[in-house]
Amino acid sequence: MQICARKQEVRDRVTGLRRQGQTVGLVPTMGFLHEGHLSLVREAARRTDRVIVSIFVNPTQFGPNEDLTTYPRDPEGDLAKLRAEGVDAVFMPDVEEMYGARGDTFVEVPGLSGVLQGALRPGHFRGVSTVVTKLFNIVQPDVAVFGEKDFQQLAIIRQMVRDLDMPLQVVGHPTVREEDGLAMSSRNVRLAPEHRAEAPALSRSLAAAAELAASRPDIAGLESAIRVVLAEAPGGKVESVDIRDAATLAPLTGKLDREAVVLLAVRFGPVLLIDQRVIAP
Ligand code: PAF
């Protein structure tokens, strides 16, 4: 497994693979890898001949009061896990290599980025779409795999790839969960023990929503039912419960009459947990 700190190294690697007629899959990550990331790597390996993983904690997607400096990191552990998965190369640039001294260009998908998590975290998705564009340009993969857990991020990346005619296929992969239902996330290790015990209320509330969906409930009633289950986690501050059209992320009112996505954001101390589930009547 080649470890590339420089853009040129990963470009040369990909050029070599292409000369051998190999297809290339990319899994962009911010490191501190868990089973959820590894399932993305396996999905990429199912679809392409060689997998490249990027590990880069991207400063432009963190707000001034967000957890950039405390974001968990474990480069050695990450490399061991990726080696065991048979990954071809890991791209691990530092901030200087990634952005240079004078980075002044951003990629933005304003409609989808300004709502939901984007409204709570101004600039976050602009940072994501910019770094993902850079990674696509550097690696030039055939396929890139992202987790469905970050549903809005995935919708934004799909839109960006469509709008800018980027020549690759974006694949979404289902959320991987702990045994008690908590969605796997690098942030989970920062939960206090009492918060970790309460956090599965998110997935329980989504299961309750999926069950209720069959009876074509009122959207407002559905939201109340979700909030009742979330109240079983008194240490969590519910930042948002959104029930949106799964295809467009447009708000829904009245009866549930189409495929919808429930998006949750709940803060436990300093740790913001998100989760999502697609539901259908
Ligand atoms: O989902 C993530 O880990 C990040 O947002 C991504 C896509 C790697 C961009 O920094």
Side-chain angles (χ1 to χ4, degrees):
M1 186 175 80
Q2 186 176 348
I3 298 163
C4 309
R6 302 255 170 223
K7 296 171 190 173
Q8 196 55 50
E9 287 174 281
V10 75
R11 283 196 171 119
D12 291 346
R13 181 77 180 194
V14 173
T15 304
L17 294 173
R18 296 238 178 268
R19 270 204 202 106
Q20 297 163 25
Q22 312 265 24
T23 55
V24 174
L26 171 67
V27 180
T29 80
M30 297 207 298
F32 207 71
L33 304 179
H34 51 64
E35 199 50 37
H37 295 109
L38 301 183
S39 76
L40 304 182
V41 170
R42 288 171 204 143
E43 181 63 37
R46 262 195 296 278
R47 291 170 180 266
T48 56
D49 299 321
R50 298 298 178 103
V51 178
I52 295 184
V53 175
S54 63
I55 298 179
F56 179 63
V57 182
N58 174 35
T60 67
Q61 69 189 76
F62 287 79
N65 302 317
E66 292 181 353
D67 49 359
L68 173 62
T69 48
T70 55
Y71 196 83
R73 295 165 204 243
D74 178 19
E76 288 314 313
D78 289 347
L79 292 176
K81 287 173 190 161
L82 295 176
R83 228 173 250 120
E85 292 296 325
V87 162
D88 186 82
V90 181
F91 178 44
M92 294 177 86
D94 61 18
V95 175
E96 169 68 25
E97 172 70 8
M98 196 61 175
Y99 284 106
R102 283 158 42 94
D104 194 27
T105 304
F106 288 92
V107 178
E108 192 156 20
V109 184
L112 285 174
S113 295
V115 297
L116 301 164
Q117 276 297 295
L120 297 171
R121 304 177 69 188
H124 168 68
F125 286 120
R126 186 173 90 148
V128 171
S129 36
T130 301
V131 81
V132 169
T133 299
K134 286 168 73 67
L135 289 167
F136 287 173
N137 285 337
I138 295 163
V139 178
Q140 304 197 355
D142 299 284
V143 170
V145 185
F146 295 86
E148 285 175 357
K149 173 169 162 289
D150 297 303
F151 196 87
Q152 188 176 4
Q153 167 173 285
L154 179 58
I156 289 167
I157 291 167
R158 286 192 199 283
Q159 178 85 42
M160 175 183 90
V161 164
R162 259 196 315 272
D163 289 351
L164 298 182
D165 301 308
M166 295 179 172
L168 76 156
Q169 186 193 1
V170 173
V171 172
H173 191 68
T175 305
V176 178
R177 297 180 180 279
E178 303 285 357
E179 270 186 15
D180 61 8
L182 178 64
M184 286 196 185
S185 162
S186 305
R187 294 196 157 107
N188 292 351
V189 291
R190 295 180 48 230
L191 289 167
E194 64 278 18
H195 291 158
R196 172 63 188 83
E198 290 181 0
L202 275 80
S203 58
R204 285 203 305 278
S205 75
L206 294 173
E211 211 177 301
L212 274 174
S215 60
R216 293 182 170 262
D218 204 63
I219 300 292
L222 190 57
E223 182 180 331
S224 308
I226 293 167
R227 286 184 183 274
V228 167
V229 182
L230 290 177
E232 292 167 11
K237 180 176 168 293
V238 180
E239 294 212 342
S240 56
V241 175
D242 288 288
I243 302 165
R244 300 280 176 128
D245 183 304
T248 63
L249 296 186
L252 295 175
T253 51
K255 293 264 175 228
L256 180 73
D257 62 355
R258 69 193 72 183
E259 197 172 71
V261 60
V262 181
L263 300 155
L264 305 179
V266 181
R267 188 172 291 281
F268 289 89
V271 184
L272 181 68
L273 293 186
I274 61 168
D275 204 350
Q276 59 78 29
R277 184 157 172 170
V278 174
I279 59 171

